[in-house]
Amino acid sequence: MAGTSGTSTRFLPGPLPSPRNPLPRFRCDESRSAGTELPIRKGRTDLSVTTNSLSGLPPEHRPRLAVQAQEVAFPAGTRLFNEGQRADRFRVVRQGSVALDMHVPGRRPVVIETLGPGQLVGWSWLFEPHTWQLGATAVRPVAAAEFDAVAVRELCASDPELGAAVGLWVAQVLAHRLHAARIRLLDLYGPAGSGLPH
């Protein structure tokens, strides 16, 4: 996330990982424009690991999408995106956990769901107007595969079978998130004894 000075920081690969440092070290690059939330670490992704993380897709389509990924990492407490911001990327969690929250007027943001390894963070990138409908924060240190939304949409447009598979995957995630949001909000603010499942 951009700091208070208005400068965003991008991190590029440095030395290879060591037994004491399982994630690669990175050097800082200040060249990216301000206003975009960024991970503290960024580098090339392990293709086989990323392919396995895309379990929501049929196996034959995973490698095609996996090559678009970039490895990122966030410390606990990092705000990944805010509701209403432009959805220009999405992530699949490899390690750690991410809390999704919803703005409720006059109240603190409500945590809708907590995501873990193998789960998709963000669906708004696929549907116009491409703005986030929820917010997201790293609850525990997160390692994830990150994808550029425009590049993936273009890839899906050029490959109808892949596009259909990605669309179904994201639609299933969307349906689950909407259900989770409804249950969570009714649980918090609905009438007592409504008979909602817990």
Side-chain angles (χ1 to χ4, degrees), residues 142-165:
V142 170
E146 181 179 274
F147 300 82
D148 179 270
V150 173
V152 173
R153 289 198 300 267
E154 291 176 349
L155 179 64
C156 290
S158 69
D159 184 339
E161 289 188 3
L162 174 64

Side-chain angles (χ1 to χ4, degrees), residues 100-164:
L100 300 178
D101 58 64
M102 175 181 288
H103 173 69
V104 178
R107 299 177 182 268
R108 297 178 61 183
V110 175
V111 174
I112 299 301
E113 187 175 10
T114 300
L115 309 179
Q119 291 188 283
L120 174 66
V121 182
W123 54 263
S124 303
W125 59 273
L126 188 59
F127 305 106
E128 293 183 355
H130 307 307
T131 56
W132 294 121
Q133 301 302 305
L134 299 172
T137 300
V139 178
R140 297 179 179 176
V142 170
E146 181 179 274
F147 300 82
D148 179 270
V150 173
V152 173
R153 289 198 300 267
E154 291 176 349
L155 179 64
C156 290
S158 69
D159 184 339
E161 289 188 3
L162 174 64

Side-chain angles (χ1 to χ4, degrees), residues 50-125:
T50 301
T51 300
N52 291 336
S53 297
L54 297 171
S55 58
L57 287 175
E60 63 270 23
H61 295 301
R62 295 174 195 171
R64 193 93 201 272
L65 188 59
V67 297
Q68 301 287 325
Q70 187 172 35
E71 189 69 17
V72 296
F74 302 89
T78 301
R79 188 68 172 167
L80 305 187
F81 52 81
N82 292 310
E83 190 174 338
Q85 286 184 327
R86 184 167 62 97
D88 60 355
R89 70 197 71 189
F90 64 96
R91 294 144 185 144
V92 176
V93 179
R94 284 184 51 190
Q95 298 175 10
S97 58
V98 174
L100 300 178
D101 58 64
M102 175 181 288
H103 173 69
V104 178
R107 299 177 182 268
R108 297 178 61 183
V110 175
V111 174
I112 299 301
E113 187 175 10
T114 300
L115 309 179
Q119 291 188 283
L120 174 66
V121 182
W123 54 263
S124 303
W125 59 273

Side-chain angles (χ1 to χ4, degrees), residues 2-27:
T4 56
S5 64
T7 301
S8 293
T9 302
R10 181 162 58 99
F11 291 79
L12 302 177
L16 294 174
S18 66
R20 292 185 177 181
N21 184 28
L23 288 173
R25 295 179 180 178
F26 292 76
R27 59 185 174 84

